[in-house]
Amino acid sequence: QSVLTQPPSVSGPPGQRVTISCTGSSSNIGAYADVHWYQQIPGTAPKLLIFGNNNRPSGVPDRFSGSKSGTSASLAITGLQAEDEAYYYCQSYDYSLNVVIFGGGTKLTVL
Amino acid sequence: QVQLQESGPGLVKPPETLSLKCTVSGGSISSGGYSWGWIRQSPGEGLESIGYISSSTVTYYHPSLKSRVAISLDRSKNQFSLKLTSSTAADTAMYYCVRVDVGPYTPHFDSWGRGTPVTVSS
């Protein structure tokens, strides 16, 4: 069971906007730990999508954005495309456990 | 652009030591600003950060693995290594080597190798 909770799956048609939530606690996201997001296409390694809550690495389209509030964070994807179909993971740090933590992952299906 | 490539045996007999290497190209493991680490992914446990090492050899290990894990640097080969002792079936996973950005934000993993599958079985 992951310390960060994500919905197992989300879906939407092409062109739609979807959001993926990541819920933590007062010892991680709520303690101002930054949240990072990764995209993993099946059969490949995860790729950094968002770092520091809302920053995109070079090359990541601006259709992807991150936000954080309280003990939760969200990844938003606008203008959904077939190539966005993948697993998405949030990641942070827990100051009580002194450990890097990941969410369990969310499978995005483009209908 | 930095690239990472894992290497090592795909099958380990319990309770032998699981040993993997990661070769880095396009960047030096001795330059500051980044650490170098390992993440594993198994169907049952998801993604787990095993640990990482800085260019000055300061290490961070996952508390649950700390007694069994060692990560080291080989500057002459621009490589870093993972050793996990007393392996069990629970260590069966895809292992990724990663570059760790430990800058102004909490640690995150900005470059990944392709991964290498490791099965622990007799």
Side-chain angles (χ1 to χ4, degrees), chain B residues 5-81:
Chain B
Q5 177 67 58
E6 305 87 352
S7 59
L11 180 63
V12 177
K13 288 184 169 54
E16 292 177 352
T17 295
L18 187 160
S19 295
L20 297 174
K21 291 187 188 297
C22 181
T23 302
V24 178
S25 57
S28 171
I29 62 172
S30 297
S31 59
Y34 295 101
S35 292
W36 305 91
W38 294 89
I39 289 175
R40 67 183 183 181
Q41 184 174 30
S42 58
E45 298 297 324
L47 289 163
E48 180 178 49
S49 174
I50 298 169
Y52 46 88
I53 185 169
S54 72
S55 58
S56 56
T57 67
V58 174
T59 54
Y60 156 86
Y61 297 133
H62 193 291
S64 70
L65 298 171
K66 196 170 184 176
S67 63
R68 299 196 292 129
V69 69
I71 297 175
S72 58
L73 300 178
D74 185 340
R75 301 180 197 279
S76 66
K77 296 180 180 178
N78 214 36
Q79 290 178 338
F80 60 100
S81 299

Side-chain angles (χ1 to χ4, degrees), chain A residues 34 36 38 40 45 91 99-100, chain B residues 41 60 62 105-107 109 113:
Chain A
D34 300 306
H36 320 289
Y38 302 86
Q40 185 177 31
Q91 178 247 311
V99 68
V100 169
Chain B
Q41 184 174 30
Y60 156 86
H62 193 291
Y105 304 104
T106 53
F109 312 103

Side-chain angles (χ1 to χ4, degrees), chain A residues 1-2 32-36 38 40 43-48 51-55 89 91-93 95 97-100 102-104, chain B residues 6 39-41 44-49 52 60-64 94 96 100-101 104-115:
Chain A
Q1 190 170 353
S2 302
Y32 304 102
D34 300 306
V35 178
H36 320 289
Y38 302 86
Q40 185 177 31
T44 70
K47 167 192 161 187
L48 181 65
F51 67 94
N53 307 311
N54 56 12
N55 300 283
Y89 296 90
Q91 178 247 311
S92 186
Y93 190 88
Y95 294 109
L97 300 172
N98 219 19
V99 68
V100 169
F102 284 94
Chain B
E6 305 87 352
I39 289 175
R40 67 183 183 181
Q41 184 174 30
E45 298 297 324
L47 289 163
E48 180 178 49
S49 174
Y52 46 88
Y60 156 86
Y61 297 133
H62 193 291
S64 70
M94 179 71 79
Y96 296 99
V100 189
D101 188 335
Y105 304 104
T106 53
H108 55 282
F109 312 103
D110 68 354
S111 294
W112 297 62
R114 291 186 176 184

